[in-house]
Amino acid sequence: MKLLSLLIVLIIFQEQIFCFSLNIPASPGYYQDGDFVIGGLFSLRVTSGDNRYTCNFNDTWYFPEFVYEDLTKNYQHMLAMVFAIENINKDQNILFNMSLGFYLFNVDFIEVKAVESSLALLSGESPPVPNYSCRPEKTDKLVAVIGGISTGISTQISLVLSLYNVPQISYAPFDQSLGTRVQLQSPYQFPSPTTVLYQGIIQLLLYFSWVWVGLLVPDDIRGEVFIRDITEEMTNHGLCVAFAEKGELYNAEDIEYWKTFLKRVPLPRVMLAFGVTHDFHTFFPILSLYSTFDNVWITTSDWYITALPFEQDLVYSYFSAGLSFSDHMNEILGFKDFLGSVQPRKYPHDIFMQDVWSIIFECPRFSEDNVTELSQCEQNGSLSTRPLNVWDMNTSPPSYKVHAAVHAIAQALHEELSLRVEGGSLDKSVLQAPLPWKLHPFLQQGQLGRSSNTGNIMNKEVSATKLDIFNYQSLTSGTKAQVKVGEFVFESHRVQRLSLNEELITWGENLSQTPVSVCSQSCPLGFRKTPVEGKPFCCFDCALCPDGEIANETDMDHCIKCPEDQYPNKQRNQCLPKIKAFLSHEDTLGAVLTSVAISLAAFSAMILGLFIRYQDTPIVRANNRNLSYLLLVSLMFCFFCSLIFIGQPSTVTCVLRQVIFGVVFSVAVSAILAKTFIVVVVFKAIKPGSTLRMWMVTRLSNAIVCCGSIIQVCICAVWLGTYPPFPDVDMQSEFGQIILLCNEGSTLAFYCVLGYLGFLASLSLLIAFLARRLPDSFNEAKTITFSMLVFCSVWISFVPAYLSSKGKTMVAVEILSILASSAGLLGCIFLPKCYVILLKSGGHSRKKLLK
């Protein structure tokens, strides 16, 4: 028994010696005692990293740290924890008249420091003693830890605390992958509505029509997830990612890469940065040197433009058009007044306030003895008077999370103590803090979230449905501020609302109006987009819409075809009603054809009158003057029938024009055929011994005319009885016009009418050609032959001309053919006779003719 007691004493003595013999430099913290202690791990500086150099297993050298940037505004995170604990301690009902204390550390952004500080919280000493507790028995008061500011820091803290099942609440941006990095228990996180953020960004881009956007993300899993998700959302809404890069520089190769990249690829007008500001501290100096100052930066709630390590005038010049999304938060009651009342004299043991105060109030930080000197600073100064680049009186999102985390722990403690009160086991005189792991059930009932390797374990998630939108501005007083310019409210994918006050937004010194961010300029009205091979769909060329199509909006993918009764204007951005067109009497062509037809008809009438006046002359009486009268009358009707083709088509005119044309022309050609036949028969009748009588010739000629005409009438009757002509429209032949025309109905019947006329004309031509050698003085065969040649030539030319013409031209071709053929018959047959009647009537007596 004595040997066992001695062994225990030696172990305890060895433990105490080990606690004070480690060669680890002190990382002092800010400690305030209480019945329960909450640890806090924060990041106040950006330093060169771990300053240790190990020569062998036992010897370690330390070098001075190089501080890149003092993040004075992050000190607000610590003050939020202090403020929350003071308020809780004022309310004796929360912890049953017991108090909360805290133990705060600055781990910068160094993961090794996070591990050391976590070990210090567990061992109760700084420097830390791994796997040992240097506290007196029954004084282990640590119940939970709050930290850290990033996923990497939170992961390292959790690797230590999860071994002892100590609750950890991270105030870093929510990272779904955090559970996969921690082998045991992942830290609690504040669930962040990433869907709301993505939709807010998409709606903002659509609001300003920013379709060409560059992405800048941290070099971690969060950045990869963000690129994947936001790219998918942007593509679904017709937006394009110009490039997606990780904005962290680790070595000279990274710097050289970005120099070459920025020289080769200009940044889009709109850049979307996702991540904590610290993620890009090493990147933005390069960016500011090799890119323009007219970009619009869209950032998330974890981004603090004023914390960037630049001169603030440069920051404002580069980021003055920036827009930032932030979770909508109600102001922490009394926190702003608390910040205004914070002074070094109020918290003399706060070792972090000394450095922060000297920086904020721009006073010497160290005396000759390398000790912080605050005597030259404004001891009674107020943080509310400091500029935005070093201090912000508004509650930052991380501060809000820290404040909420303290209250979540206090609530869990209240629940645990309540159970002990109900069980009668709460005795303050022998008080011992509850084991940390006993708080897990109560924390899990709250509003925090956790993730694990096996799946997502979410508690009662508070989905923030409202995001505030801020604009970084320079106020009239010269100070810089984040001004709220709008908000985004999300209820569901179908119910969401973006409201912006554009009058409050300033686009900085380099932009005078709302910027435009596109890969290709918008296609104007009348043009459609055509893709460019090898580039995103936001990059395109513009092509004029094809004939008959329009583009009445900019950036149309496809042109719209106009209705049949409309046509595109010259700009091809509007469909106009087509004009109804037909060959009218008001048209120049219509008026000329009408005049010609009437003139030729009048001329025919004059010849008819001349023939009637000189009806007893031999030249008129020869070849049956009645046939001459009939031919002249039919030619007059031929001229007049062409007038039916002029004017707006109707059912009546469409039927009459072809029927009258066919019948009248068949009468005229039949009369010519009869006259040709008479030329041959007459000479047979007047020969001595001929049995043919002249009266028989007259009856035969009448029969020829009647038969020839009746056959044409029958053809027209069949035509009208089966598929008659009807009014129709042609919307395609002429641009911008609806051609009113007569559809022939049966094309076969139409060409049968023409074919029959051709048959009569060919027969007349053949007989006349055979009779051309008869005596000249009495013979009409030569003039008939020539007139039939003209007639046949006109109608043979008519067929191809008619088939190749459209609209009014088609009608004009038919009218010209009617007038030309009729005029040819009139001129070739009757003009020579008129010449004889008027000028040589005395020399053509019957005796001379009979000779």
Side-chain angles (χ1 to χ4, degrees):
M1 180 64 69
K2 291 183 178 180
L3 182 61
L4 181 60
S5 300
L6 180 60
L7 183 60
I8 293 175
V9 170
L10 289 174
I11 293 174
I12 295 175
F13 177 76
Q14 183 182 2
E15 178 180 338
Q16 295 297 328
I17 294 296
F18 185 74
C19 285
F20 295 100
S21 62
L22 287 178
N23 185 24
I24 298 178
S27 298
Y30 175 26
Y31 181 78
Q32 177 177 300
D33 197 16
D35 297 313
F36 314 105
V37 174
I38 302 175
L41 304 180
F42 302 95
S43 301
L44 302 181
R45 302 179 304 176
V46 181
T47 62
S48 56
D50 191 5
N51 60 341
R52 285 175 290 186
Y53 177 72
T54 303
C55 297
N56 51 53
F57 184 77
N58 295 320
D59 297 329
T60 303
W61 294 352
Y62 297 89
F63 299 94
E65 293 179 323
F66 179 78
V67 179
Y68 290 110
E69 181 69 12
D70 289 290
L71 304 178
T72 55
K73 295 207 296 184
N74 284 12
Y75 181 60
Q76 188 191 85
H77 309 164
M78 282 188 175
L79 293 180
M81 184 169 176
V82 173
F83 173 73
I85 290 176
E86 287 184 357
N87 284 345
I88 291 171
N89 290 337
K90 291 176 183 178
D91 189 346
Q92 300 179 357
N93 296 323
I94 297 178
L95 299 179
F96 300 94
N97 205 22
M98 287 180 271
S99 63
L100 272 179
F102 54 79
Y103 201 178
L104 310 182
F105 287 90
N106 173 30
V107 301
D108 296 328
F109 285 87
I110 302 174
E111 295 181 357
V112 173
K113 283 189 176 182
V115 173
E116 291 179 352
S117 299
S118 301
L119 291 172
L121 287 172
L122 294 171
S123 66
E125 291 290 336
S126 179
V129 182
N131 206 31
Y132 284 89
S133 175
C134 299
R135 299 185 183 89
E137 187 179 0
K138 297 184 180 180
T139 58
D140 193 357
K141 302 177 181 181
L142 183 68
V143 293
V145 176
I146 299 175
I149 196 172
S150 67
T151 299
I153 298 295
S154 299
T155 300
Q156 298 305 318
I157 296 171
S158 183
L159 288 174
V160 176
L161 297 181
S162 61
L163 294 173
Y164 301 91
N165 212 358
V166 176
Q168 175 197 355
I169 301 178
S170 172
Y171 65 96
F174 183 79
D175 189 351
Q176 187 65 45
S177 65
L178 188 57
T180 62
R181 307 184 182 198
V182 181
Q183 297 300 321
L184 297 177
Q185 291 186 348
S186 63
Y188 293 95
Q189 300 182 76
F190 288 89
S192 177
T194 54
T195 300
V196 179
L197 176 62
Y198 294 158
Q199 292 300 320
I201 292 173
I202 295 299
Q203 293 304 317
L204 180 67
L205 297 177
L206 293 175
Y207 182 89
F208 289 110
S209 299
W210 292 334
V211 299
W212 189 240
V213 183
L215 301 183
L216 194 63
V217 300
D219 188 10
D220 54 23
I221 296 180
R222 287 187 307 119
E224 295 177 0
V225 172
F226 178 79
I227 290 176
R228 181 196 65 197
D229 294 343
I230 198 65
T231 300
E232 181 180 355
E233 287 291 337
M234 290 175 64
T235 303
N236 293 338
H237 289 82
L239 307 174
C240 291
V241 176
F243 63 82
E245 294 289 340
K246 297 175 181 179
E248 293 192 50
L249 307 180
Y250 298 106
N251 48 47
E253 293 182 359
D254 294 340
I255 296 176
E256 192 61 32
Y257 166 78
W258 271 103
K259 286 182 180 179
T260 306
F261 180 82
L262 293 173
K263 291 179 181 178
R264 178 173 51 87
V265 181
L267 292 182
R269 184 59 57 87
V270 174
M271 290 290 298
L272 176 57
F274 174 80
V276 183
T277 315
H278 167 69
D279 294 332
F280 309 105
H281 264 71
T282 57
F283 170 74
F284 275 105
I286 298 296
L287 186 64
S288 62
L289 291 175
Y290 294 95
S291 64
T292 60
F293 278 62
D294 56 356
N295 301 100
V296 176
W297 287 85
I298 300 175
T299 63
T300 59
S301 58
D302 306 305
W303 177 276
Y304 313 107
I305 292 177
T306 55
L308 291 172
F310 297 150
E311 187 70 28
Q312 279 304 296
D313 289 339
L314 180 62
V315 171
Y316 173 70
S317 299
Y318 198 81
F319 297 99
S320 56
L323 295 170
S324 177
F325 283 90
S326 178
D327 294 335
H328 179 75
M329 300 176 299
N330 296 322
E331 196 67 35
I332 299 176
L333 185 63
F335 186 52
K336 188 172 290 188
D337 295 334
F338 169 78
L339 294 177
S341 66
V342 168
Q343 293 178 348
R345 293 175 180 175
K346 186 176 179 181
Y347 298 97
H349 302 293
D350 187 349
I351 61 174
F352 305 111
M353 182 178 292
Q354 299 176 14
D355 287 338
V356 172
W357 201 266
S358 62
I359 297 171
I360 291 177
F361 287 91
E362 301 176 353
C363 53
R365 300 181 61 180
F366 299 100
S367 64
E368 294 180 356
D369 299 329
N370 201 33
V371 178
T372 304
E373 180 67 50
L374 292 180
S375 60
Q376 301 180 31
C377 290
E378 299 183 33
Q379 293 295 310
N380 297 323
S382 174
L383 294 175
S384 61
T385 62
R386 308 319 296 157
L388 184 64
N389 61 303
V390 294
W391 191 257
D392 192 352
M393 293 297 291
N394 296 316
T395 306
S396 66
S399 297
Y400 193 89
K401 292 179 181 179
V402 170
H403 183 271
V406 173
H407 279 274
I409 296 171
Q411 181 64 29
L413 283 171
H414 176 80
E415 299 278 345
E416 201 276 340
L417 293 174
S418 297
L419 291 179
R420 292 164 66 178
V421 169
E422 293 174 2
S425 61
L426 183 62
D427 185 358
K428 188 175 181 182
S429 61
V430 291
L431 174 68
Q432 184 177 4
L435 295 175
W437 59 266
K438 290 187 177 182
L439 297 184
H440 282 299
F442 306 106
L443 289 173
Q444 292 173 1
Q445 294 175 6
Q447 298 175 346
L448 300 172
R450 302 180 77 182
S451 56
S452 67
N453 293 322
T454 58
N456 190 21
I457 304 175
M458 299 298 296
N459 301 319
K460 193 186 302 178
E461 180 177 341
V462 176
S463 75
T465 58
K466 181 184 291 187
L467 298 177
D468 294 329
I469 303 175
F470 293 91
N471 180 219
Y472 182 53
Q473 300 179 4
S474 178
L475 304 180
T476 55
S477 60
T479 60
K480 310 299 187 294
Q482 296 261 31
V483 178
K484 182 178 177 180
V485 295
E487 63 182 21
F488 174 70
V489 179
F490 180 88
E491 297 181 14
S492 66
H493 284 279
R494 294 185 178 181
V495 182
Q496 47 187 290
R497 183 180 71 257
L498 174 71
S499 58
L500 284 174
N501 188 344
E502 292 191 59
E503 296 180 356
L504 294 179
I505 300 177
T506 61
W507 300 112
E509 301 174 351
N510 303 296
L511 297 171
S512 58
Q513 58 185 1
T514 303
V516 177
S517 184
V518 294
C519 176
S520 302
Q521 293 298 320
S522 296
C523 288
L525 302 180
F527 289 80
R528 62 178 177 87
K529 296 191 296 185
T530 57
V532 178
E533 186 177 357
K535 291 188 177 181
F537 61 87
C538 290
C539 302
F540 49 82
D541 294 327
C542 298
L544 186 66
C545 286
D547 292 339
E549 298 182 4
I550 65 165
N552 55 4
E553 296 180 3
T554 58
D555 290 338
M556 291 189 65
D557 294 320
H558 305 283
C559 296
I560 303 172
K561 193 171 184 179
C562 288
E564 287 192 357
D565 59 344
Q566 297 181 3
Y567 72 99
N569 57 358
K570 292 183 178 179
Q571 294 76 23
R572 303 196 181 184
N573 59 7
Q574 184 181 5
C575 290
L576 303 177
K578 288 183 177 180
I579 301 172
K580 293 182 179 180
F582 53 89
L583 187 62
S584 65
H585 299 89
E586 289 77 15
D587 292 340
T588 302
L589 181 59
V592 170
L593 293 177
T594 300
S595 301
V596 172
I598 294 175
S599 300
L600 291 175
F603 186 62
S604 300
M606 291 173 58
I607 295 176
L608 178 60
L610 181 65
F611 270 51
I612 294 175
R613 171 70 178 79
Y614 295 98
Q615 59 182 334
D616 294 328
T617 59
I619 197 66
V620 174
R621 294 175 61 188
N623 296 107
N624 195 335
R625 60 187 173 189
N626 292 330
L627 286 178
S628 298
Y629 296 157
L630 178 62
L631 180 57
L632 286 171
V633 172
S634 62
L635 288 176
M636 278 193 298
F637 279 107
C638 287
F639 292 128
F640 281 126
C641 82
S642 65
L643 299 179
I644 306 177
F645 289 81
I646 302 175
Q648 182 172 350
S650 62
T651 303
V652 175
T653 56
C654 287
V655 171
L656 290 180
R657 63 168 61 173
Q658 299 297 354
V659 172
I660 292 178
F661 157 72
V663 173
V664 170
F665 258 84
S666 64
V667 172
V669 178
S670 297
I672 294 174
L673 178 60
K675 290 176 69 67
T676 308
F677 188 76
I678 289 174
V679 171
V680 176
V681 172
V682 163
F683 282 92
K684 297 289 184 180
I686 62 175
K687 286 183 178 181
S690 176
T691 60
L692 193 61
R693 298 287 186 265
M694 290 300 298
W695 63 269
M696 292 179 62
V697 173
T698 302
R699 290 187 177 183
L700 184 61
S701 63
N702 293 337
I704 292 174
V705 172
C706 291
C707 290
S709 303
I710 289 174
I711 292 174
Q712 186 71 291
V713 170
C714 292
I715 295 175
C716 292
V718 173
W719 184 7
L720 296 180
T722 55
Y723 195 5
F726 59 90
D728 199 1
V729 293
D730 180 7
M731 297 185 179
Q732 307 300 329
S733 299
E734 297 291 339
F735 179 75
Q737 293 183 349
I738 300 177
I739 305 299
L740 303 182
L741 48 82
C742 286
N743 192 310
E744 309 304 342
S746 175
T747 306
L748 176 62
F750 174 70
Y751 284 106
C752 284
V753 170
L754 293 181
Y756 181 69
L757 291 177
F759 168 73
L760 294 178
S762 301
L763 187 60
S764 299
L765 176 61
L766 177 62
I767 296 176
F769 180 76
L770 295 176
R772 70 187 186 281
R773 298 185 182 277
L774 295 177
D776 292 341
S777 298
F778 198 75
N779 189 7
E780 269 188 316
K782 291 183 178 181
T783 58
I784 292 175
T785 300
F786 189 69
S787 66
M788 285 296 100
L789 285 174
V790 172
F791 183 88
C792 291
S793 299
V794 169
W795 286 105
I796 290 174
S797 302
F798 162 78
V799 174
Y802 184 80
L803 293 176
S804 61
S805 59
K806 297 179 180 180
K808 294 190 292 185
T809 308
M810 180 183 292
V811 179
V813 167
E814 190 168 358
I815 294 175
L816 285 173
S817 299
I818 293 173
L819 295 179
S821 59
S822 302
L825 296 177
L826 180 65
C828 293
I829 295 176
F830 293 101
L831 283 182
K833 292 185 178 181
C834 292
Y835 174 77
V836 171
I837 292 172
L838 295 176
L839 300 178
K840 297 183 178 181
S841 58
H844 284 77
S845 63
R846 180 173 175 80
K847 293 181 179 180
K848 289 185 176 182
L849 289 174
L850 291 176
K851 282 185 179 181

